[in-house]
Amino acid sequence: MAQSLVKKIGVSLEINGEQRQVEIRPADTLLYVLRNYLGLTGAKPGCLNGDCGACSVIVNEKVYKSCIMLAVEAVESKVTSIEGLSDSPIQKAFVEHFAFQCGYCTPGFIMNTHAMLLHEPHPTYETIKEWLSSNICRCTSYQEIEDAVFSVIGRDK
Amino acid sequence: MLAANIEYYKPATIQAALEQFYLLKNKRKRPIYYGGGTEVLTLGRLNLIETDAVIDLKGIRECQSFEFDQEYLITGAALPLTYIEEKNLFPLLTSSSMGIADHTARNKITIGGNICGQIFYREAVLPFLICESKAVIAGENGIQIFALNEIFNETLQLEEGQFLLQLLTEKRYIHLPFVSIKKRQQWDTGYPLLTVAAVKVEDQIRFAFSGLCPFPFRSRKMEDELNNLQLPLKERISRALLQVPSPILDDIEGSKDYRLFVLRNTLNEIILDLEGK
């Protein structure tokens, strides 16, 4: 039998409050491990280049693009993917304000906005713009996304 | 994801990082140091970086320093850019940092990774060039301190096995009047046509540039022309433009001629601001 050339290591990752044991290659990105080893397909592969933000997840309360993070870097950290948010105010706001069309970018926008609100519960418009410029929506639902964010922070632009 | 297999190491000390590097070299591996890893992963995905082992520097305490001692601001090379912005100990650095990539990416990009990267822009180095900072380098000869302007020539001139540990900036530079401008053809995010950082030190303005050439730089010849108060401002700028190093970038972000046009106007704007006219 041919010997496998793929060198895997066993790691423990804390994802959405749960310890998951997984065999990964050190070269695997967090995005790849979430989707292909752990079945968490909420983080979306878009550009795979750190540009579009569709793969955004929260690690230790900071938002990261999981396509430009090795899974091994997340060992001993608390990872939250979109599956770990349940009925959060920002999710409800996205639904109520129709802040999506195809929905592919939506998990990334929600994770980024959720991280922003953890960091800054009452962000200025400039802060919102700065943070959300990290994500791209090709259906251009930007206006509705802004509306959803402002509804959660309880004021108008 | 990297197609190739790699080994991953996260040493906790400078010595352990150096030992790991040379151990891997002796095994005929191709180790590289790893900060935020954004460039390693994006270029590695395209097979533009060849490595089989990465040594993550984020576990080294000295690489995470961001504090003043009696004389200097110490900036650790493994600090994420957003951390530097949130602490805002060095307003010019904060301003330059905020123009790099986007907010989420800057949670991952480190100051050392940006300065030592392959990307043309590397705007994080500009404040340190004009503030005459020192680079603290770790290597097999121990810890060495160099004037950044001597060791940064288009790229940081590191020998095999060396890595950037910290940058030291004299306190007297931290709160001087400055301008940091990033010009793009359109949008608020993306690669620039031009980034200029300038600081006024006594009666002289110092300038460093990114996006104009395939490397960031500070030019004394350009500064001499731009600070020549005997000539009208328009003439000072025209003479400085003759001293721009070559090649000037001519790509999809902007043609060479357009970049020079933007540079002329940007220099005018900065000088009027810092000379108080």
Side-chain angles (χ1 to χ4, degrees), chain B residues 140-274:
Chain B
E140 62 181 339
N141 297 324
I143 307 292
Q144 294 174 287
I145 299 177
F146 300 91
L148 184 66
N149 281 298
E150 287 172 18
I151 197 172
F152 191 92
N153 180 12
E154 299 188 6
T155 59
L156 193 63
Q157 305 292 305
L158 295 174
E159 291 171 12
E160 185 179 85
Q162 288 185 326
F163 64 88
L164 177 64
L165 190 67
Q166 294 170 334
L167 292 140
L168 308 178
T169 308
E170 283 181 62
K171 281 180 175 176
R172 67 191 176 105
Y173 288 110
I174 297 298
H175 293 293
L176 292 175
F178 72 88
V179 175
S180 175
I181 294 182
K182 183 160 184 164
K183 299 274 189 183
R184 299 180 181 90
Q185 279 215 55
Q186 52 186 352
W187 319 126
D188 293 332
T189 304
Y191 293 130
L193 279 170
L194 176 69
T195 303
V196 186
V199 65
K200 189 172 185 184
V201 185
E202 295 167 356
D203 291 331
Q204 300 281 300
I205 306 174
R206 298 177 185 174
F207 300 85
F209 305 89
S210 156
L212 191 57
C213 301
F215 47 83
F217 66 94
R218 176 184 174 192
S219 163
R220 305 302 169 96
K221 288 179 181 172
M222 288 179 72
E223 282 177 15
D224 287 346
E225 298 293 359
L226 291 167
N227 284 296
N228 181 357
L229 298 176
Q230 305 303 313
L231 295 174
L233 178 54
K234 196 175 170 187
E235 179 69 13
R236 289 155 61 188
I237 294 172
S238 292
R239 292 170 70 130
L241 261 56
L242 297 174
Q243 302 293 344
V244 174
S246 61
I248 297 170
L249 287 171
D250 190 6
D251 59 20
I252 195 166
E253 306 295 340
S255 67
K256 173 182 171 182
D257 288 344
Y258 186 58
R259 279 190 154 91
L260 288 172
F261 169 77
V262 173
L263 174 63
R264 180 183 293 277
N265 292 330
T266 307
L267 287 171
N268 192 68
E269 192 179 327
I270 291 171
I271 292 171
L272 289 178
D273 185 339
L274 289 178

Side-chain angles (χ1 to χ4, degrees), chain A residues 36-54:
Chain A
N36 295 284
Y37 297 164
L38 299 172
L40 297 168
T41 56
K44 301 298 181 203
C47 64
L48 298 177
N49 200 50
D51 294 326
C52 75

Side-chain angles (χ1 to χ4, degrees), chain B residues 74-88:
Chain B
I74 303 165
T75 306
L79 293 173
L81 298 180
T82 46
Y83 182 85
I84 286 168
E85 294 156 25
E86 285 160 17
K87 294 287 176 190
N88 194 25

